[in-house]
Amino acid sequence: MVRLRLVYLARLREAFSSSGERLDLGAQDAPTLATVVATLRARGGAFERELAPGRAVRFAVNHRLARPDHPVADGDEVAIFPPVTGG
Amino acid sequence: MPVRVQSEDFDAGAAIAHLRSADRGAGAIAAFIGTVRDVNDDATITGLTLEHYPGMTEAALEDIVAEAKARFDVRDALVVHRVGALLPGDQIVLVVVSSAHRASAFDACAFIMDLLKTRAPFWKKERLPDAERWVEARASDDEAAARW
């Protein structure tokens, strides 16, 4: 059982009309960030649009930048956001 | 404290004076200040709002400073980044680096900014006279970070 805390930031928070949610991935074998994206994309609408292949999306797992093949584990905080634009 | 995220303005002169007075072995101090422009991509900008990811932001900045200290002959470094609503001309970010000699100070200051631009979780939303828009990341920022 892998339950995650998702955090949406900046443009994605607005597009999803949500600053975050709990996501239950069930008993998937070795889930990664790509699993999370596929799960969200399957909802359609803004999730499908914003997370479509080729869209620039970045991830952090427990406050560390991570690539799509990064594994996720029960209790992780997964943030999904556009490329950063500070400075 | 080497990194700060705050809504208040900062005093670069005071920060520089602090680094100078705290370390007589520093022969060079380099500083960078980023400010809000009143124009971007040919549009008039009336202000911007800076959002960040509380919890990650400070850790990301601390990692960047630690990496700069590991790579360059840095004696001390400070990063201050503002969040919230800002106006054209306002200060956004301050980086101050001290080292024994100038080359390390210049390099470490540029390194910290280049990594901050691509790794620190901040996002700018610009206000135009009749609209708002999220600032898009620039490929030139990725290229600048990749040169290190």
Side-chain angles (χ1 to χ4, degrees):
Chain A
M1 187 67 82
V2 175
R3 273 176 294 213
L4 307 172
R5 201 164 88 76
L6 301 189
V7 177
Y8 306 132
L9 293 151
R11 195 193 74 240
L12 293 184
R13 173 174 44 76
E14 291 185 348
F16 300 159
S17 301
S18 166
S19 59
E21 61 180 301
R22 302 265 169 193
L23 183 71
D24 190 339
L25 286 181
Q28 298 211 39
D29 192 33
T32 64
L33 287 170
T35 315
V36 175
V37 168
T39 304
L40 294 175
R41 211 184 268 158
R43 294 174 174 176
F47 288 96
E48 187 177 19
R49 202 164 49 244
E50 295 291 341
L51 302 175
R55 293 299 299 267
V57 178
R58 301 288 183 267
F59 308 95
V61 176
N62 299 325
H63 301 151
R64 296 264 170 193
L65 289 176
R67 296 185 182 282
D69 61 356
H70 193 283
V72 293
D74 191 43
D76 280 352
E77 178 169 310
V78 173
I80 307 178
F81 45 83
V84 302
T85 57
Chain B
M1 196 192 303
V3 310
R4 290 205 304 266
V5 178
Q6 62 188 40
S7 54
E8 311 87 67
D9 199 7
F10 52 77
D11 182 344
I16 291 168
H18 176 73
L19 248 66
R20 197 159 49 85
S21 64
D23 180 8
R24 302 293 179 193
I29 296 177
F32 172 86
I33 298 169
T35 61
V36 181
R37 298 193 307 150
D38 64 1
V39 62
N40 192 23
D41 293 334
D42 297 328
T44 298
I45 303 302
T46 60
L48 60 79
T49 302
L50 262 151
E51 174 175 330
H52 75 124
Y53 179 15
M56 176 173 169
T57 318
E58 289 84 352
L61 293 175
E62 280 166 9
D63 282 354
I64 292 167
V65 169
E67 208 171 318
K69 285 181 172 173
R71 273 180 87 123
F72 305 98
D73 184 21
V74 169
R75 298 182 69 91
D76 204 357
L78 170 75
V79 178
V80 183
H81 202 297
R82 295 179 69 193
V83 292
L86 300 174
L87 297 170
D90 280 354
Q91 304 188 107
I92 303 172
V93 60
L94 169 68
V95 177
V96 186
V97 177
S98 65
S99 65
H101 303 288
R102 71 184 184 286
S104 301
F106 279 132
D107 285 349
C109 194
F111 173 85
I112 288 171
M113 272 310 299
D114 286 345
L115 264 64
L116 184 154
K117 283 283 213 179
T118 53
R119 288 199 204 166
F122 295 99
W123 299 271
K124 291 191 186 105
K125 191 177 198 181
E126 294 176 331
R127 287 190 295 281
L128 283 65
D130 53 3
E132 289 189 327
R133 66 181 183 193
W134 289 99
V135 173
E136 298 283 332
R138 294 175 194 274
S140 57
D141 288 335
D142 287 330
E143 290 156 15
R147 74 192 163 115
W148 302 103

